[in-house]
Amino acid sequence: MSSPVSHRARAAQTARARPAFVLAIASATCALIVLDTNVVAVSLPSIARSFQASFAEVEWVVSAYMVAFASCLLPAGALADRVGRKRMLLAGLAVFFLASLGCGVAPTALALNVARAVKGVGAAMLLTAALAVIANTFHDGPARVRAWAVWGTCMGVATTIAPLVGGVITQWLGWRWIFLLNLPVCAVLGWCASREFVESRNPAPGPLDAAGSLLFGLALASGIWALIEVPSNGLVSWATGARLATCVLLSGVFVGLQRRRAHAMVDLALFRQPRFVAAVLAMFGYAACAQVMMTFLPLYLQNAFGLPAVAAGLGMLPFALAMVVGPYIGAALGRRIPPMILLSIGLLLIALGNLLTALVASGERYAWVACGMIVTGLGAGVLNGDTQKAIMACVPPERTGMASGISTTTRFTAIVTSVGVLGAVLAARTQTAFLTGTPLTLPVRAALDAGFLSRVMAGDAAQATEHLAPALRVMLTTAARASFADGFAAALGVAAIVAALVAAGVWLLAGREEVARVRGVVSEG
């Protein structure tokens, strides 16, 4: 039992805490994660050129981070409740610092991807701890509403500027500085947090589900590994089949384990509620079909248009700015439209935007591509906050922590899954378009080694063709750019179909009930 002295000390420490500074530090920590998640995509072609990396290796720069991040979010939240939110955040900053250093000095693509995976673990520790600190500092009332509004604004600004920041650093300092500049930021945040944060923890924490976390992470990694390697191994190869079978087997074991546990990491009973399933499905569709564009758009702008990194970052601004405007449109519509109908509308906007971009992607006219980006960005902005609110509205207050974990895990699992699926579509279509559109003369056949097209897709066209005669180099580079545009269009077409199907699923699960309920209320009135 705690002594009266300890209670007085904790009360005095809480009184000395400055909520505005706590909010600023926690929001800056989350913004650092958002920046690191989105800023890397612009640098992928530069990374490919440094390591002469294949398209699959470049995909792993994103996927290794996302798999580790998504796998560790739920256990990191439980661990923060047990060991203390402040201690968890400081430990996360230390892991993030060391992993950033490892990324910045990585000698090979494999070393970079391993460091990125460690960085994803640190990011999960940081995000869960920072969110818990905000929730523990601002308990209720207008102060809590303002705190989450400030936090949301910081996230929106970080998302908007990330492509441009990545382009500037990559082009003017080099891609390694994207990671090395995290070091002083982590040091400053750690010093501020150690001074301003008050330690807090859950007095009755639930048990840690280490086995569930491990099974979920391994299942996700196996599935992504299979999808990313499809262009190299083939869809029906034994390697792809073994990885997919492992993913299914581990997923089944994970579900069985969660059903038997008294304090499961995921309460599967929630998935018996159609509204909860619809909300989670909407989150998956939003992240898989819109947020994933933060990975592929920079590659498209640099590969298909030949833009430098800074120009590619600027070229993504229509998408990012539309995401900032979208929530205001969603808020206005939400006063007149039931929540699940609004989610369906947002998904349909994403489907329409992806379809428009797919139709003009091969035309090499940026203005039309920007129009498609804006439509997709508006749909993404509508869904960005409303999916989270819809999920939280389906659970009782005492389960909001777990629901938030499910929401965030769904978001990043969708992104990493989509990177694998859409990356496989992009690679397959690019290869087909290149082989059918390029005359395979003897000089061309001699120039095409096994990794040529994969390196070109990763953004390494210059080094992949540097040994060729000038005329042949120009022909193959032009053909490769046009083929990549075709592949990107095919990937966006798949994303549009998925978004439309998810919109229909959300409508069938919950949208019709909401419309019927609204009609009933109107008729009774």
Side-chain angles (χ1 to χ4, degrees), residues 24-40 65 69 89 92-98 100 116 119 122-124 126-127 130 151 154-159 161-162 165 169 177-190 412:
I25 297 164
S27 297
T29 301
C30 294
L32 173 65
I33 298 168
V34 172
L35 274 171
D36 192 77
T37 302
N38 295 321
V39 80
V40 172
Y65 177 88
F69 194 10
L89 187 138
L93 282 170
V95 172
F96 202 84
F97 180 99
L98 293 174
S100 295
R116 285 283 289 169
K119 202 173 186 182
L126 285 177
L127 182 63
W151 177 85
C154 290
M155 298 305 98
V157 170
T159 301
I161 67 173
V165 170
I169 295 174
W177 284 97
I178 283 180
F179 306 111
L180 294 176
L181 287 176
N182 286 336
L183 304 185
V185 176
C186 288
V188 171
L189 288 174
F412 287 100

Side-chain angles (χ1 to χ4, degrees), residues 437-490:
T438 306
L440 297 179
T441 61
L442 287 177
V444 171
R445 290 179 183 275
L448 298 179
D449 58 34
F452 170 80
L453 201 55
S454 180
R455 288 174 61 193
V456 168
M457 286 191 297
D460 191 17
Q463 291 188 35
T465 59
E466 65 180 356
H467 64 286
L468 304 177
L472 185 57
R473 183 190 308 134
V474 171
M475 186 194 78
L476 289 180
T477 300
T478 302
R481 285 180 175 174
S483 301
F484 189 93
D486 282 350
F488 181 72

Side-chain angles (χ1 to χ4, degrees), residues 139-167:
H139 299 285
D140 50 32
R144 187 181 182 92
V145 173
R146 284 195 299 269
W148 288 118
V150 169
W151 177 85
T153 301
C154 290
M155 298 305 98
V157 170
T159 301
T160 303
I161 67 173
L164 182 57
V165 170

Side-chain angles (χ1 to χ4, degrees), residues 158-446:
T159 301
T160 303
I161 67 173
L164 182 57
V165 170
V168 169
I169 295 174
T170 299
Q171 189 166 323
W172 293 350
L173 298 177
W175 65 265
R176 293 183 184 275
W177 284 97
I178 283 180
F179 306 111
L180 294 176
L181 287 176
N182 286 336
L183 304 185
V185 176
C186 288
V188 171
L189 288 174
W191 181 79
C192 293
S194 65
R195 290 175 59 88
E196 295 292 338
F197 284 9
V198 175
E199 186 60 279
S200 65
R201 55 174 56 86
N202 187 345
L208 293 175
D209 189 0
S213 302
L214 182 63
L215 285 169
F216 178 78
L218 290 176
L220 184 60
S222 299
I224 299 306
W225 188 16
L227 294 171
I228 287 178
E229 295 296 336
V230 161
S232 301
N233 297 324
L235 185 60
V236 295
S237 68
W238 71 268
T240 300
R243 291 163 189 159
L244 290 175
T246 301
C247 174
V248 172
L249 176 63
L250 292 176
S251 299
V253 175
F254 170 75
V255 171
L257 182 67
Q258 297 304 293
R259 293 181 65 181
R260 291 195 301 271
R261 285 195 182 277
H263 299 280
M265 186 169 69
V266 177
D267 183 2
L268 297 178
L270 288 171
F271 290 89
R272 297 177 189 146
Q273 303 178 33
R275 284 176 59 82
F276 183 80
V277 174
V280 171
L281 186 62
M283 173 65 84
F284 189 94
Y286 150 62
C289 303
Q291 275 204 309
V292 74
M293 287 300 105
M294 298 296 284
T295 299
F296 288 119
L297 273 174
L299 280 173
Y300 166 71
L301 293 174
Q302 292 180 74
N303 283 352
F305 287 91
L307 297 179
V310 172
L314 286 170
M316 291 183 65
L317 283 179
F319 176 81
L321 292 173
M323 277 195 69
V324 174
V325 175
Y328 296 97
I329 297 175
L333 291 174
R335 290 191 286 269
R336 301 174 178 84
I337 299 174
M340 292 299 169
I341 305 302
L342 184 60
L343 296 186
S344 296
I345 291 173
L347 287 162
L348 289 175
L349 279 174
I350 290 172
L352 178 60
N354 283 339
L355 181 60
L356 288 174
T357 309
L359 293 175
V360 300
S362 300
E364 296 186 10
R365 297 185 64 180
Y366 172 76
W368 289 109
V369 173
C371 290
M373 285 189 211
I374 291 171
V375 177
T376 303
L378 289 174
V382 168
L383 290 169
N384 190 28
D386 283 276
T387 45
Q388 179 85 5
K389 286 190 289 186
I391 290 173
M392 303 298 279
C394 296
V395 299
E398 64 272 13
R399 304 309 300 274
T400 53
M402 185 198 63
S404 179
I406 291 174
S407 172
T408 310
T409 303
T410 299
R411 182 191 300 247
F412 287 100
T413 300
I415 293 173
V416 73
T417 303
S418 189
V419 167
V421 172
L422 297 184
V425 172
L426 189 157
R429 177 56 192 162
T430 299
Q431 183 173 13
T432 300
F434 183 82
L435 293 177
T436 56
T438 306
L440 297 179
T441 61
L442 287 177
V444 171
R445 290 179 183 275

